[in-house]
């Protein structure tokens, strides 16, 4: 009987041990595969027994030390950067079985000028965007939809017709009518794929010219907020989300674009169930602020033509990685009806630790009485407003909660930097991981 009890105890202890190991192995699956650290700053990993962190590299980029947590089985591992570069660590079970590989990237410290400026965005698309398909009544009184039947779909970007690059909507009409109804070759981009279609235009009974049944868009414009400016590279970032077509929801491909100074002329307050809006007009259209080069899910980016200054932060400030951000008070910089950048109180209510790029990294609530009185909370046009905590840029406002305009999402500044392609002092770029 005693022997049987001993076996039960052993199996129970073993089962508990294995369950704890399995739980922690699952936890490490969600550890970021890449950890960015700035020079002069450490990073602490909470690694519990029976797991250990090992460094088998001889590149002397980092060193690791174990900080005593008054419990030898719950020590914290501190990563100490020694020089700029890239190296690897291994999380191992009992110091033997590899569980997770961590890529450590040490960067020189990067400082940014915070934005908060209201900007106008002008964008000419690359090619033209298909926003609608329609039937054409021919001279035989029959209805045709040549574009749809030929393979075109809403959201396609038409790049070429018969080998000629498409400039704008009027150019499409010209190229379709050039061959007097003969079959044309159309090259499009659909998502990330390039496709070719053969389409035969139909002569419209109503308009007496040849058509393939398309509604297209070749340009767009809007108002948003600048997030940051990096003085050495002159790179800027804004919005924290993409410029998309309202009809199709597709990200607009950039042909040519610029950002300009914008003046806020009115504010439509946000209310539960209905998003508010900052309405602005473009200023100094002959003297744009910068070139628009990238339109991504995580913001728009380009190069400033001249130096940008912030009246509140007269010198560039540091950024904070996601592990440095805290729940609690923070500030946002934005421009409202007085056309002056102001700092307003917010609270960071939730932080989503992320392994991949997302523009829904944090939940932010507006608590500033002045801003709530002006806007009702977060409104369209505030996207890109930088979020500052403990004197560092931590991210930017991206989306409003329609059912509660006092709340919205924010994106981590590190994700925007990865998208921007800013070069650090040693000529490395922030690496995109998403």
């Amino acid at each position: 009987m005693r022997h049987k009890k001993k076996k039960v105890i052993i199996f129970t202890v073993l089962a508990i041990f294995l369950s704890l190991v399995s739980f922690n192995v699952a936890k490490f699956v969600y550890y970021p595969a890449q950890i960015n650290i700035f020079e002069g700053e450490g990073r602490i990993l909470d690694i519990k027994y029976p797991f250990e962190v090992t460094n088998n590299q001889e590149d002397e980029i980092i060193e690791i030390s174990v900080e005593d947590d008054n419990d030898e089985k719950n020590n914290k591992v501190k990563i100490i950067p020694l020089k700029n570069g890239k190296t690897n660590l291994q999380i191992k079970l009992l110091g033997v079985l590899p569980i997770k590989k961590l890529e450590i990237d040490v960067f020189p410290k990067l400082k940014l000028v915070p934005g908060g400026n209201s900007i106008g965005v002008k964008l000419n698309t690359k090619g033209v965007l298909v926003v609608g398909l329609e039937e054409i009544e021919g001279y035989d009184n029959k209805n045709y939809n040549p574009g749809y039947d030929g393979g075109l779909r809403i959201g396609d970007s038409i790049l070429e017709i018969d080998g000629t690059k498409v400039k704008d909507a009027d150019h499409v009409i010209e190229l379709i009518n050039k061959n007097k109804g003969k079959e044309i070759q159309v090259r499009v981009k659909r998502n990330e794929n390039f496709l070719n279609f053969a389409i035969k235009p139909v002569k419209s009974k109503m308009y007496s010219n040849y058509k393939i049944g398309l509604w297209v868009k070749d340009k767009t414009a809007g108002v948003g907020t600048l997030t940051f400016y990096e003085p050495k590279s002159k790179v800027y970032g804004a919005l924290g989300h993409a410029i998309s077509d309202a009809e199709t929801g597709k990200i607009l491909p950039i042909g040519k674009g610029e950002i300009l100074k914008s003046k806020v002329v009115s504010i439509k307050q946000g209310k539960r169930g209905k998003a508010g809006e900052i309405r602005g007009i473009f200023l100094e259209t002959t003297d744009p602020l910068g070139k628009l080069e990238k339109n991504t899910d995580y913001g728009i980016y380009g190069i400033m033509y001249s130096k940008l200054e912030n009246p509140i932060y007269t010198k560039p400030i540091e950024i904070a990685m996601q592990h440095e951000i805290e729940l609690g008070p923070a500030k946002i910089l934005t421009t409202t009806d007085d056309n002056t950048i102001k700092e307003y109180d917010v609270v960071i209510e939730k932080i989503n630790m992320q392994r991949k790029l997302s523009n829904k990294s944090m939940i932010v609530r507006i608590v500033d009485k002045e801003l709530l009185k002006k806007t009702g909370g977060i409104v369209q046009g505030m996207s890109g407003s930088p979020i500052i905590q403990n004197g560092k840029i931590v991210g930017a406002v991206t989306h409003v909660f329609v059912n509660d305009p006092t709340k919205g999402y924010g994106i981590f500044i590190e994700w925007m930097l990865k998208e921007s392609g800013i070069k650090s002092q040693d000529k490395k770029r922030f690496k995109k991981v998403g």
Side-chain angles (χ1 to χ4, degrees), residues 34 36 103 355-357 415 418-419 431-434:
Q34 179 184 347
N36 294 322
E103 183 180 279
R355 300 169 63 218
K356 293 183 178 181
L357 275 76
W415 291 158
K418 289 178 188 297
E419 286 294 279
K431 180 182 176 185
K432 181 177 175 181
V433 297

Side-chain angles (χ1 to χ4, degrees), residues 36-41 81 83-85 105-111 230 232 318-319 321 417 422-430:
N36 294 322
I37 305 176
F38 287 109
E39 60 182 359
E41 296 182 359
K83 64 180 182 180
N84 302 330
D105 217 345
V106 180
F107 288 91
K109 278 191 177 179
L110 183 67
K111 292 186 178 182
E230 201 284 307
K232 292 179 181 176
E318 294 180 10
I319 71 164
M321 295 296 192
L417 289 174
I422 287 176
K423 290 183 178 180
S424 57
Q425 291 174 351
D426 65 347
K427 307 301 180 186
K428 294 193 306 178
R429 285 182 179 267
F430 275 84

Side-chain angles (χ1 to χ4, degrees), residues 285-299:
T285 55
T286 58
D287 186 22
L289 292 172
K291 182 180 180 182
L292 177 56
E293 295 184 333
K294 294 177 71 176
N295 179 25
T296 79
D297 280 320
Y298 315 103

Side-chain angles (χ1 to χ4, degrees), residues 100-120:
K100 179 82 175 183
K101 180 181 177 182
L102 303 178
E103 183 180 279
I104 311 297
D105 217 345
V106 180
F107 288 91
K109 278 191 177 179
L110 183 67
K111 292 186 178 182
L112 306 173
V113 176
N117 319 60
S118 178
I119 57 170

Side-chain angles (χ1 to χ4, degrees), residues 343-384:
E343 200 168 48
Y344 298 101
D345 293 319
V346 302
V347 173
I348 298 175
E349 293 193 334
K350 185 177 180 181
I351 302 167
N352 300 318
M353 302 304 287
Q354 294 169 332
R355 300 169 63 218
K356 293 183 178 181
L357 275 76
S358 169
N359 54 25
K360 296 180 178 179
S361 308
M362 301 171 274
I363 294 178
V364 178
R365 179 164 56 91
I366 307 293
V367 295
D368 194 286
K369 291 181 180 179
E370 181 186 350
L371 187 59
L372 288 171
K373 186 177 180 180
K374 287 181 177 181
T375 65
I378 298 169
V379 297
Q380 294 175 14
M382 283 173 60
S383 294

Side-chain angles (χ1 to χ4, degrees), residues 130-133 152-156 247-248 250:
V130 178
V131 297
L133 294 160
L152 297 179
R153 297 294 180 264
I154 292 174
D156 287 347
E247 285 89 354
T248 66
K250 297 286 185 180

